[in-house]
Amino acid sequence: MFVNPFRYTCDTISSCIYGFEAKSFTPDNAFFFEKGKQLINGVVDSVKSFLPFKRLPADVEKFFMDITEEAIKFRSDNKITRDDFLAHIMTLKEKKNISDLDAAGHCVTLFLDGYETTSLVMHFMLFE
C-alpha cells in the first residue's frame, strides 16, 4: 500500500498547529486535507496571475479563520494547555494583542510552510 505523503503531512502539521487529528486517511472525513489542497491551489493560482494579486477562495479563508478561532476559544474555555504553535499564538494574542486575522494568518503560513515542502521532499525520498 502506498502511503500518500501529502495526507501524512497534513495530519502531522495540523497536529503541530492546532493539536487535533485531521483524519486525512479516512476517505469520508478528509475535510481538512481537502481544504489544505484548496489552499495550496489558491496560492499557486495567485502566484501565476501576478497582478492583480488574487485572494484565496472565500470558503478556504473562512475555514482557516473559523478553525483558528474555534481552537483558541475551545482551549481558553476548557483551560487546555499544550506546548504547540497555537499555544504560542494564544500567548501573543494576550501579550501583543494581535487580532484573530493575524493569528489565523500565522497558522496558515505555518501550514503552507510545513505542508507542501515536507510532502514534496517525502514524496521524492520514497520514490528514490
Side-chain angles (χ1 to χ4, degrees), residues 9 21 29 32 45 64 66 73 82 92 100 110 112 116:
T9 306
E21 286 186 41
N29 197 12
F32 202 88
D45 290 344
F64 281 100
D66 290 348
K73 183 177 180 342
R82 286 184 50 136
L92 283 176
D100 290 339
L110 181 61
L112 283 170
E116 186 73 9

Side-chain angles (χ1 to χ4, degrees), residues 3 11 14-17 21 24-25 29 41 45 51 59 71 76 79 85 89 102 114 122 127:
V3 176
D11 273 359
S14 65
S15 177
C16 291
I17 297 171
E21 286 186 41
S24 298
F25 288 99
N29 197 12
N41 292 337
D45 290 344
L51 291 174
D59 62 325
S76 296
K79 308 240 185 303
F85 188 74
I89 294 296
D102 288 336
M122 286 176 55
F127 179 74

Side-chain angles (χ1 to χ4, degrees), residues 18 66-76 86 90:
Y18 298 108
D66 290 348
I67 200 84
T68 303
E69 289 174 354
E70 289 174 18
I72 289 172
K73 183 177 180 342
F74 181 77
R75 286 194 189 184
S76 296
L86 191 61
M90 291 172 67

Side-chain angles (χ1 to χ4, degrees), residues 43-110:
V43 169
V44 168
D45 290 344
S46 295
V47 170
K48 282 185 201 175
S49 70
F50 290 109
L51 291 174
F53 196 81
K54 295 186 331 185
R55 293 176 54 124
L56 294 174
D59 62 325
V60 175
E61 278 186 43
K62 182 174 176 4
F63 172 76
F64 281 100
M65 275 295 296
D66 290 348
I67 200 84
T68 303
E69 289 174 354
E70 289 174 18
I72 289 172
K73 183 177 180 342
F74 181 77
R75 286 194 189 184
S76 296
D77 292 349
N78 296 309
K79 308 240 185 303
I80 296 173
T81 57
R82 286 184 50 136
D83 191 18
D84 60 3
F85 188 74
L86 191 61
H88 177 67
I89 294 296
M90 291 172 67
T91 304
L92 283 176
K93 279 184 66 79
E94 292 172 10
K95 290 183 179 178
K96 302 282 185 176
N97 199 23
I98 66 171
S99 68
D100 290 339
L101 181 62
D102 288 336
H106 288 300
C107 291
V108 167
T109 301
L110 181 61

